[in-house]
Amino acid sequence: MTDGQEQVRCLPDANLIQKQIKAHCSAEVEVHAFEQLDSTSAWLREHARELAVASGTAMHLCITDWQSAGVGRRGKNWQARAGNLMFSLLNHSDKPARELLGLSLVTGIAVAECLQSMAGVQVQLKWPNDLILKDAKLGGLITELAAVPSTRVGGGRTQLLTGIGINLLHDEEVLRLSIGATSLEACGVSCSRQDRDAMAARLVADVVTAHQQFEATGWPAFVQRWAALDWLENKEVLIHRDNSTEQALARGVNEQGALLVERAGEIIAVYSGNVSIRPTI
């Protein structure tokens, strides 16, 4: 990839983003915008404690025009061109992490549905966290759950850190990633920097709303929504573990966010961890 220093960078419009988030959901979200960061998730993780002390706002959005050391699934580093969509959202829940294991799938549902609405493209989801458009990777997301102390009687809280990256612009370098890659631009959707910021705001609002619904009602409200977006369903897949590879049929997901696969007539739950799932074709 060309050196990021050669790319023209533009500070995301924090005021526009904050106003449009408020227009689409009732949550208060403080926006932290940068021209360049190593990683939006790393910035929020590093500043989480001081943000909690200094601000009365429960949610914080970190967005950058260019990210030089983003971290994807299984710790893989990646870069993207300036002008793509790269942000992370920091939030908290009073529920323990064990009750929030489906949250990453819920995030994916909200993002895919939002992109379908805003860009008019048929985005699908590849378990556990890839956004798929025309059988190629459009972007991805990663959700981290961490226990944190709380003054609430009866226990602690869970810190939710969600990172989202979407390829808006065509980039030859990302074509070599994973199952291949695409972008909204490659599919005929043009996004200016202002369009990008408006899309970020709508995505944040929709993700926050979906998270709130998940906390209130659990996974049942999302079962059919996931099924409508599930790119792997009924496909033959290869399950790559550290020391083995198995073939199976993808059969949806369960409420804990695990992939259900059928092997030798038996349905088995596969949790992400050190597992890679790829279609056989």
Side-chain angles (χ1 to χ4, degrees):
M1 175 175 190
T2 56
D3 188 339
Q5 298 298 324
E6 298 175 7
Q7 300 187 60
V8 177
R9 296 186 293 278
C10 178
L11 183 69
D13 189 337
N15 289 331
L16 181 151
I17 294 169
Q18 196 141 25
K19 287 178 182 177
Q20 295 209 15
I21 291 174
K22 287 183 178 180
H24 291 288
C25 77
S26 58
E28 290 290 330
V29 181
E30 186 170 342
V31 180
H32 310 271
F34 299 88
E35 287 187 4
Q36 175 182 342
L37 277 179
D38 290 345
S39 162
T40 55
S41 288
W43 188 90
L44 284 173
R45 198 181 299 113
E46 180 182 348
H47 293 87
R49 187 179 298 274
E50 63 191 75
L51 290 174
V53 172
S55 172
T57 304
M59 301 185 203
H60 294 269
L61 169 68
C62 179
I63 184 168
T64 185
D65 192 51
W66 187 71
Q67 184 167 260
S68 60
V71 178
R73 186 169 174 263
R74 304 177 75 182
K76 293 181 180 179
N77 288 345
W78 60 277
Q79 294 185 354
R81 283 178 55 188
N84 279 303
L85 191 50
M86 294 159 281
F87 67 85
S88 297
L89 181 67
L90 180 68
N91 193 12
H92 291 83
S93 171
D94 287 331
K95 290 182 178 290
R98 66 179 179 274
E99 295 182 20
L100 299 169
L101 295 180
L103 201 63
S104 181
L105 304 188
V106 169
T107 302
I109 291 169
V111 171
E113 291 177 344
C114 182
L115 290 174
Q116 289 183 356
S117 174
M118 293 195 74
V121 292
Q122 295 303 307
V123 177
Q124 294 177 280
L125 297 169
K126 173 179 176 283
W127 182 91
N129 51 21
D130 285 343
L131 301 165
I132 302 296
L133 179 58
K134 295 185 177 180
D135 294 327
K137 184 172 179 177
L138 178 66
L141 56 98
I142 186 166
T143 301
E144 302 174 11
L145 306 177
V148 293
S150 172
T151 56
R152 182 176 59 89
V153 175
R157 307 176 74 206
T158 301
Q159 176 179 285
L160 316 175
L161 181 58
T162 300
I164 296 172
I166 299 170
N167 300 325
L168 303 183
L169 307 175
H170 179 71
D171 188 343
E172 291 292 337
E173 289 295 321
V174 302
L175 296 179
R176 293 190 286 270
L177 294 175
S178 186
I179 59 171
T182 189
S183 64
L184 289 185
E185 184 178 46
C187 295
V189 180
S190 177
C191 291
S192 66
R193 291 298 210 279
Q194 188 175 39
D195 293 334
R196 185 270 315 273
D197 293 348
M199 185 176 289
R202 177 67 179 276
L203 284 165
V204 169
D206 285 6
V207 166
V208 168
T209 300
H211 284 190
Q212 291 172 337
Q213 184 180 8
F214 177 73
E215 288 201 53
T217 67
W219 179 248
F222 296 90
V223 171
Q224 294 303 318
R225 291 166 69 180
W226 174 271
L229 300 166
D230 188 354
W231 185 69
L232 285 178
E233 187 174 15
N234 297 325
K235 281 186 170 71
E236 290 189 352
V237 296
L238 296 176
I239 307 169
H240 298 279
R241 302 182 191 271
D242 288 337
N243 299 307
S244 66
T245 299
E246 306 164 23
Q247 188 167 334
L249 283 172
R251 298 300 194 195
V253 299
N254 67 15
E255 62 184 5
Q256 285 81 41
L259 177 70
L260 299 176
V261 299
E262 182 179 347
R263 195 177 65 228
E266 182 182 3
I267 300 295
I268 301 168
V270 177
Y271 293 87
S272 53
N274 292 319
V275 177
S276 175
I277 303 290
R278 295 180 184 273
T280 58
I281 57 172

